[in-house]
Amino acid sequence: MATNNTNTTIKRRAIDSNGMIGPFYDIYRNRVLERSHAIERPPVKQILGEITCELIDGKTDGSRNILEWINIDDDLRLNILLNTAPRTGVAELAEYYHPMGEYTRFLHFLRPDREYGLSHNYEGFKSIVREVDATHIITSISLGIDVVVVLQLPVKGKIIQNIDVTLRKVRTRLNDPLNDSCFSQDDADALKSITEIKVYSNIPELVAMTSFLEVCQYIDKCKHQHNPFPPTEYTLQPIEQFTGNTDKSHGLYTPLSQRDSGKLEKYLIEMLNYYNKIKYLFEYCKNKGLHKNLQQSLADIEIEWRDLRQCYQNKMEELGKLIASIRAGHNNASEIGQALQHNDQTMFKQKLQEFSKKIKVLYDKMQPIHRTQKGHDTHAALFDAPEKQDDQELKSNLQVTPEKQPRSMNRFNNDNKLDGNQSQLIIEQNNKSNELALSSHSKTHASDSSTASTTAELINILLLGESGVGKSTFINAFVNYLTFGTLEKAQQGKPVVLIPVSFLLTTGDNFEERTVTFGDVDSLNNENFDHPGQSVTQHCKSYVFQLDNIRQKKICIIDTPGFGDTRGLDQDDVNMQHILEYINDLTHINAVCFLLKPNASRVHNFFKTCLAQLLNSLGSTSRQNIIFCFTNARSTFYSPGDAAPLLKSVLKGTGFDDIPFKKENTFCFDNESFRYLTALQNKITFSTDEHSEYKHSWLTSVKESSNFLNYVCTKLKVHTMRVEPQSTEKAQLQIKQMIRPMLEAIRNILRNCIIWDMSTTEKSIELKPIPLFRSTLVCYQCKRDVVRTGGFWMTIDAPHEIQKTCNQCRCAPDQRIEIDYELTYAYVARYSNSNRADEMARLERLLRASAQFTYFLINIARSSKDDPFFMGIVQMISEENDLCQSRNPNEFNLELVKRLRQHMSSYEEYVNSIKPNHDGVKLGNMYKSIQTIHEDPIVRVQMDAVKKTRHNIMKQYTCEFSNLSAS
């Protein structure tokens, strides 16, 4: 064992990129402790610029321990595995779980750009108060790029060789700052065929990128620039060198021997892989939409999984404390072996194995319901123990768990086994870039070019209409009309079913009723056929497909819940808000298509409301993107019929007479020919005359579909969502998303003020929001877990996933609320620059903004009848009262109830003080208030989780189909 005095300067990889020159550092746990002592950045110490760019595949030894391969030192690796050091930046690789083998590649690029550092005689730290766990100070930082890209290659022999050749070219070019060599189109095509990527980096822009080409463009561009990059490395020096403190209690640093470190790391990797494997399988089962018979089994396993997860965290925490104590010289390294062989660790490993068997039982029961197309169990290898402890390669071809799914890994298996007459659903991620543009002289940023590319390649068509008009049927029919030129070809081929079909048909002389069904109900149960009159489509859903004959463009048709729902206008309002929220996350819209019936005797009242809200949200320029389609138009000789003058009258009477309603933006179809096709698939017979009539109908609709697509592609200007004007609708959408984050921020500020007033600890509570992957509720009636943090009892979210209904309970709807993230808590050291006065100022700012937002929602946007913030405070008081009655000691929660009541009164005073002509509720000022509140750190971290959740859910409701060849 080597014992070093902390006078030794230490270099550490900057996995926490928030560090700067000046903060304290805990060398025993490898974490930045304090940001308050950050000082103004000194002059550049030296220009670096040395590039490291390496490439390996998943079969090499380096892939067994990626953190070691990217040269993270032994001590820091242990803390990453123990989770005592933050798993951020490239250290997040510890969270990666996906089979690694011959189809996996790793690219690591590291370029420290420049170094800033303090002089050896700097005296600015002599007066600072040292934190209890602090051993060192960051005295120098190297800024630059640190990135690891994990690439999953397609399972095709020849293309893999081409990809590897091109990857080696990329490595050569990135390694050389002067290399601007060109690449062939074959190289570009090879890189486009990479199916999945995941990026880990100290640069958020890189992490957010969705293609390997984008990553390469960004890195190549930065080779010649000196941008304000985040840190890549810290230089650490002992506090004693700057403070003159001779206290030797912090003067020892005892790194583990290579033998002890290797033994512990081997154990931690084994346990982490076991843990991640079980976590993956549990999420796999949970996200499969289980049959009712298996839901209780999953619920029981979920309870056990929570306990096991907590147990794992406790074991890692125990080992982390031991390692910190050994490094500080308080314990002997021999205790590591004793800890690993302790009965508790052995029993915990057995628990993991037993729990894995239970998951296996549940998985086996699922197989008759979820069978893969290949007919074999693609996840079976996960249940087999590795042949060797140090061999973690899993050779099965697995689906990525949603929790760890990279942004570009948008591949899902079709869980429903389709009949032979149905087209197979193959959802795949295609590279969004058209060309390999690695020139460092390009003026276009990679992310900007990606957006432009997406806008050019993807045609977004928003489909709106009254409930029952046939939007879902229209989508199915439209795709089939584009795919099959004649009815005969459609009968001979495999009809395309993007959305499940169900309708009633009368046949024969006695008008016998037959239910025609075609296609399996989707795993998210988006189509609800159980309640006539209600919108069949429950959630906006995007259907993406590509035809060979439309210049390789992709078409995305967005199906929406219908208006005129029998549940009333309130449900129509809910559906419309959902539609606006959904399209708000799009980059652009090519066309807004209203689907109508010809010869309609009236236009539903909500049509006017829908049109007004949509245009207010999108802006006036979107009026030119509106088109009108009429279904079942065979009876009116493929014309709008009597609906034409009615629609003109409505547009003129509501002030929308500048919306074009002409022959060029009006299209008439007949869905009945597609229904006829599906009826044939259900073995229903028709007469020769009927067949002849539908044959002609099919040909007419094929021609109209082609005209429709040509008009959208060539005549309409793309409406870009990024440049939309300020609008009441967009403001209310943003405010509604901020309600919970603001309320939780208010409650947490009060908690920390109570800790300030009633405790001597120098700690505070931080909110840790967790993004979700499906639409989720929290039920106030169902039992929820309670934890104690920082002296407060807290109720933990118990998310209930929504499909047609809530999966977990049948409680009354008014006892449930939809959430955008799951909230957890951490008790951490308080920043020394925090003070109570600032916290109270933040609290008042949040309360005043809440009052302004409430006034805006009720009186300006008129989108809410009730005060959402007042109701939220009342609910928080109710929760805290329940905790006070059921838990002891409860003095902190009692004080929180008292202060919530006081601030509820203050909030009501703020609301009552707002007058109709108050400047604060004007639209422009409202946007400023939204931006100001969004920048509050507690609100921002929750809003980031909201954004991720919405992104995840949009992925869940996007189905991409393989190329459909027109015939």
Side-chain angles (χ1 to χ4, degrees):
M1 181 189 304
T3 301
N4 296 338
N5 190 280
T6 48
N7 287 333
T8 305
T9 298
I10 296 173
K11 299 282 188 179
R12 278 287 185 268
R13 191 70 151 270
I15 58 173
D16 181 355
S17 60
N18 292 320
M20 54 193 77
I21 296 177
F24 288 139
Y25 193 93
D26 177 6
I27 196 66
Y28 304 141
R29 297 168 184 81
N30 277 299
R31 57 185 182 178
V32 179
L33 290 178
E34 187 61 69
R35 297 188 179 93
S36 64
H37 302 303
I39 62 175
E40 184 175 350
R41 181 181 294 171
V44 176
K45 193 173 182 180
Q46 61 177 320
I47 302 296
L48 302 173
E50 181 180 350
I51 293 175
T52 300
C53 187
E54 298 176 287
L55 178 71
I56 61 170
D57 64 46
K59 296 185 296 181
T60 62
D61 292 338
S63 67
R64 307 301 180 196
N65 191 337
I66 297 296
L67 297 178
E68 183 180 24
W69 174 64
I70 62 175
N71 293 318
I72 292 181
D73 64 82
D74 296 357
D75 277 10
L76 182 53
R77 288 205 311 275
L78 288 181
N79 286 114
I80 292 171
L81 294 171
L82 288 165
N83 210 17
T84 57
R87 291 178 180 174
T88 55
V90 292
E92 195 184 352
L93 274 163
E95 302 277 355
Y96 183 77
Y97 188 72
H98 191 277
M100 293 186 293
E102 60 182 310
Y103 305 115
T104 309
R105 303 292 182 269
F106 297 87
L107 178 78
H108 177 222
F109 180 89
L110 175 64
R111 176 182 176 263
D113 177 55
R114 53 187 58 204
E115 183 182 14
Y116 299 84
L118 299 176
S119 62
H120 292 293
N121 58 356
Y122 182 79
E123 297 182 356
F125 295 120
K126 286 190 174 181
S127 61
I128 64 174
V129 179
R130 175 188 195 149
E131 278 208 8
V132 65
D133 291 329
T135 61
H136 288 67
I137 294 177
I138 300 176
T139 60
S140 178
I141 56 173
S142 297
L143 309 182
I145 303 174
D146 194 0
V147 57
V148 177
V149 187
V150 187
L151 308 164
Q152 294 294 335
L153 276 51
V155 189
K156 298 177 182 177
K158 186 175 181 180
I159 191 65
I160 289 178
Q161 296 176 8
N162 296 338
I163 293 174
D164 282 334
V165 170
T166 305
L167 286 176
R168 286 192 288 271
K169 289 183 181 179
V170 170
R171 178 188 59 189
T172 300
R173 172 161 175 166
L174 295 182
N175 239 329
D176 186 353
L178 302 178
N179 189 329
D180 288 325
S181 57
C182 298
F183 292 84
S184 67
Q185 186 59 46
D186 289 340
D187 294 330
D189 293 339
L191 292 186
K192 288 178 186 178
S193 65
I194 295 174
T195 56
E196 303 168 357
I197 76 164
K198 174 63 175 163
V199 183
Y200 301 90
S201 178
N202 64 332
I203 299 177
E205 291 91 335
L206 280 171
V207 176
M209 289 182 182
T210 58
S211 79
F212 184 58
L213 289 180
E214 291 178 13
V215 175
C216 294
Q217 289 169 340
Y218 186 98
I219 295 174
D220 194 74
K221 179 181 177 181
C222 292
K223 287 195 307 184
H224 302 276
Q225 299 177 353
H226 299 292
N227 293 337
F229 297 116
T232 59
E233 187 177 70
Y234 299 139
T235 299
L236 311 173
Q237 289 186 274
I239 293 177
E240 285 75 16
Q241 290 187 10
F242 293 90
T243 63
N245 188 349
T246 58
D247 177 14
K248 298 300 182 181
S249 63
H250 291 81
L252 294 178
Y253 171 52
T254 309
L256 300 183
S257 68
Q258 191 172 9
R259 176 179 173 276
D260 290 330
S261 178
K263 178 169 61 176
L264 178 59
E265 184 175 27
K266 185 176 182 180
Y267 172 84
L268 292 175
I269 290 175
E270 180 187 12
M271 297 303 289
L272 182 62
N273 281 332
Y274 236 128
Y275 175 84
N276 282 340
K277 178 172 72 172
I278 293 174
K279 184 178 180 181
Y280 170 92
L281 289 168
F282 174 77
E283 293 296 334
Y284 171 83
C285 295
K286 185 177 178 180
N287 287 286
K288 276 301 177 182
L290 294 181
H291 191 272
K292 292 180 180 179
N293 296 341
L294 300 178
Q295 288 178 1
Q296 185 57 49
S297 297
L298 180 63
D300 294 338
I301 285 178
E302 183 167 10
I303 295 173
E304 187 174 350
W305 167 238
R306 287 181 185 173
D307 294 337
L308 195 64
R309 184 172 56 189
Q310 186 61 52
C311 186
Y312 175 82
Q313 293 168 357
N314 293 342
K315 297 301 178 188
M316 294 301 106
E317 185 176 350
E318 291 171 8
L319 287 172
K321 290 179 179 178
L322 174 61
I323 300 307
S325 186
I326 293 172
R327 288 171 177 168
H330 300 151
N331 290 72
N332 193 284
S334 62
E335 295 180 46
I336 294 175
Q338 298 171 14
L340 298 185
Q341 296 172 10
H342 194 276
N343 287 340
D344 286 350
Q345 295 289 349
T346 304
M347 291 176 63
F348 174 64
K349 187 173 181 179
Q350 291 174 351
K351 284 183 179 180
L352 285 174
Q353 294 169 342
E354 290 170 4
F355 186 79
S356 179
K357 292 177 182 177
K358 292 181 180 180
I359 291 281
K360 173 70 162 63
V361 172
L362 180 63
Y363 177 86
D364 289 340
K365 290 180 179 179
M366 290 170 56
Q367 294 319 295
I369 303 169
H370 301 296
R371 185 67 62 186
T372 60
Q373 182 179 349
K374 292 182 179 180
H376 65 274
D377 186 352
T378 59
H379 295 77
L382 279 172
F383 300 106
D384 299 328
E387 294 177 4
K388 298 185 294 183
Q389 183 176 333
D390 60 345
D391 184 6
Q392 299 300 327
E393 178 177 351
L394 301 174
K395 298 180 180 179
S396 57
N397 181 23
L398 302 176
Q399 178 181 351
V400 180
T401 174
E403 182 170 348
K404 294 298 173 191
Q405 179 175 326
R407 291 166 179 81
S408 63
M409 291 187 180
N410 192 21
R411 299 177 59 197
F412 302 86
N413 292 328
N414 181 25
D415 299 324
N416 300 316
K417 187 176 181 180
L418 304 179
D419 295 335
N421 292 326
Q422 301 174 29
S423 61
Q424 293 293 338
L425 171 62
I426 307 173
I427 302 177
E428 55 188 10
Q429 174 68 24
N430 287 327
N431 200 314
K432 293 181 179 178
S433 299
N434 273 331
E435 58 188 13
L436 187 61
L438 286 179
S439 173
S440 59
H441 306 292
S442 172
K443 295 182 180 181
T444 304
H445 191 279
S447 59
D448 296 333
S449 63
S450 174
T451 301
S453 177
T454 302
T455 304
E457 294 177 10
L458 188 65
I459 303 167
N460 284 328
I461 301 172
L462 179 66
L463 193 59
L464 300 164
E466 190 173 346
S467 179
V469 75
K471 293 186 297 300
S472 299
T473 304
F474 168 78
I475 293 173
N476 279 326
F478 179 72
V479 173
N480 280 276
Y481 295 148
L482 292 174
T483 305
F484 302 106
T486 65
L487 182 58
E488 287 78 7
K489 290 181 179 178
Q491 288 179 256
Q492 295 168 5
K494 293 181 179 180
V496 182
V497 182
L498 303 188
I499 309 172
V501 176
S502 179
F503 60 90
L504 201 64
L505 184 70
T506 56
T507 62
D509 296 336
N510 297 322
F511 302 110
E512 297 175 358
E513 291 186 349
R514 293 275 303 274
T515 299
V516 177
T517 59
F518 200 40
D520 294 332
V521 176
D522 62 315
S523 61
L524 293 176
N525 292 316
N526 199 45
E527 305 301 310
N528 184 0
F529 302 108
D530 300 334
H531 299 91
Q534 296 182 12
S535 176
V536 171
T537 299
Q538 301 292 295
H539 191 291
C540 288
K541 191 165 185 177
S542 299
Y543 297 91
V544 182
F545 57 93
Q546 182 173 333
L547 292 168
D548 292 339
N549 62 339
I550 58 167
R551 309 177 191 91
Q552 298 302 312
K553 292 179 182 285
K554 289 184 181 180
I555 305 171
C556 173
I557 301 182
I558 303 166
D559 195 14
T560 61
F563 51 80
D565 195 294
T566 55
R567 288 170 284 185
L569 291 177
D570 286 344
Q571 185 61 43
D572 282 338
D573 281 327
V574 170
N575 289 344
M576 192 62 210
Q577 288 304 307
H578 167 60
I579 293 169
L580 294 177
E581 289 175 3
Y582 190 86
I583 64 175
N584 192 49
D585 292 328
L586 299 175
T587 58
H588 67 283
I589 290 179
N590 297 76
V592 178
C593 176
F594 280 95
L595 202 60
L596 306 161
K597 289 184 178 179
N599 280 339
S601 59
R602 65 177 182 85
V603 174
H604 195 278
N605 288 333
F606 200 78
F607 170 79
K608 308 168 190 176
T609 305
C610 170
L611 193 58
Q613 292 187 28
L614 185 69
L615 292 177
N616 285 337
S617 179
L618 296 179
S620 58
T621 58
S622 64
R623 298 185 180 209
Q624 303 305 311
N625 295 78
I626 292 177
I627 57 181
F628 299 96
C629 292
F630 292 85
T631 62
N632 303 324
R634 181 164 49 97
S635 61
T636 57
F637 304 100
Y638 301 97
S639 72
D642 294 339
L646 182 62
L647 182 59
K648 286 182 179 179
S649 175
V650 169
L651 293 175
K652 185 175 181 180
T654 52
F656 298 129
D657 49 336
D658 58 338
I659 294 177
F661 176 44
K662 304 175 182 178
K663 184 174 179 59
E664 69 170 354
N665 75 322
T666 303
F667 304 90
C668 299
F669 303 86
D670 182 32
N671 287 351
E672 292 304 308
S673 53
F674 172 74
R675 290 193 172 202
Y676 169 73
L677 177 65
T678 59
L680 291 177
Q681 300 294 327
N682 279 253
K683 310 302 181 183
I684 297 176
T685 58
F686 295 86
S687 67
T688 303
D689 290 341
E690 287 172 323
H691 178 78
S692 177
E693 187 175 353
Y694 286 121
K695 178 180 177 181
H696 173 71
S697 169
W698 188 282
L699 291 173
T700 304
S701 296
V702 166
K703 181 180 178 181
E704 197 72 344
S705 298
S706 179
N707 293 338
F708 171 91
L709 200 56
N710 183 65
Y711 177 76
V712 172
C713 291
T714 62
K715 303 295 183 181
L716 295 182
K717 184 179 179 180
V718 176
H719 178 78
T720 305
M721 302 295 285
R722 287 188 175 183
V723 295
E724 75 278 5
Q726 294 180 352
S727 69
T728 300
E729 280 68 23
K730 290 194 70 62
Q732 66 160 321
L733 286 177
Q734 293 182 49
I735 290 172
K736 286 184 175 181
Q737 289 180 358
M738 294 172 69
I739 291 173
R740 187 190 181 201
M742 291 175 67
L743 288 169
E744 292 293 353
I746 290 170
R747 174 157 54 176
N748 207 58
I749 290 173
L750 287 175
R751 286 191 187 113
N752 286 326
C753 286
I754 291 170
I755 294 174
W756 217 304
D757 297 339
M758 298 176 62
S759 173
T760 59
T761 182
E762 293 294 323
K763 290 191 173 185
S764 62
I765 297 172
E766 280 189 2
L767 303 184
K768 298 291 185 180
I770 302 173
L772 302 169
F773 290 87
R774 290 182 186 262
S775 298
T776 304
L777 299 167
V778 163
C779 178
Y780 295 128
Q781 288 289 99
C782 292
K783 184 178 179 181
R784 297 157 68 189
D785 292 335
V786 175
V787 298
R788 195 167 188 229
T789 304
F792 288 91
W793 295 103
M794 301 178 184
T795 305
I796 300 300
D797 293 335
H800 291 194
E801 291 185 355
I802 313 168
Q803 293 185 358
K804 287 184 182 179
T805 58
C806 177
N807 285 346
Q808 276 76 21
C809 73
R810 295 295 180 264
C811 297
D814 61 355
Q815 294 299 316
R816 298 183 298 212
I817 183 172
E818 192 164 356
I819 60 173
D820 292 311
Y821 53 90
E822 183 178 352
L823 198 55
T824 60
Y825 307 89
Y827 197 39
V828 300
R830 182 191 301 150
Y831 297 146
S832 62
N833 63 340
S834 301
N835 64 76
R836 196 179 187 286
D838 288 344
E839 293 302 294
M840 293 307 296
R842 288 174 66 196
L843 181 61
E844 183 177 358
R845 187 162 55 247
L846 285 165
L847 288 170
R848 288 187 180 276
S850 299
Q852 290 180 343
F853 292 168
T854 290
Y855 187 92
F856 181 83
L857 292 176
I858 295 176
N859 299 288
I860 308 298
R862 301 186 185 279
S863 62
S864 180
K865 298 176 183 177
D866 301 312
D867 181 340
F869 288 94
F870 181 82
M871 293 171 64
I873 296 174
V874 169
Q875 178 59 39
M876 289 193 299
I877 292 173
S878 175
E879 286 182 8
E880 298 300 329
N881 271 327
D882 290 343
L883 290 169
C884 290
Q885 294 173 14
S886 62
R887 294 291 191 277
N888 275 303
N890 59 10
E891 61 271 13
F892 278 26
N893 292 85
L894 285 170
E895 182 64 22
L896 180 55
V897 170
K898 176 182 174 182
R899 298 194 189 190
L900 280 171
R901 291 187 187 278
Q902 292 172 351
H903 287 87
M904 182 171 66
S905 299
S906 300
Y907 165 76
E908 289 182 284
E909 292 176 4
Y910 293 146
V911 172
N912 294 331
S913 68
I914 298 177
K915 305 300 181 185
N917 59 350
H918 192 276
D919 286 342
V921 296
K922 293 180 180 179
L923 187 59
N925 291 331
M926 189 58 55
Y927 267 87
K928 292 179 182 178
S929 295
I930 291 171
Q931 182 62 32
T932 299
I933 297 301
H934 192 281
E935 290 304 312
D936 182 278
I938 309 180
V939 175
R940 186 173 63 245
V941 70
Q942 296 175 84
M943 290 302 296
D944 289 344
V946 171
K947 184 178 179 180
K948 290 179 182 177
T949 294
R950 299 194 60 78
H951 177 74
N952 293 337
I953 292 176
M954 180 170 273
K955 276 187 176 181
Q956 294 282 349
Y957 285 95
T958 299
C959 288
E960 187 169 345
F961 295 79
S962 59
N963 292 10
L964 306 175
S965 301
S967 57

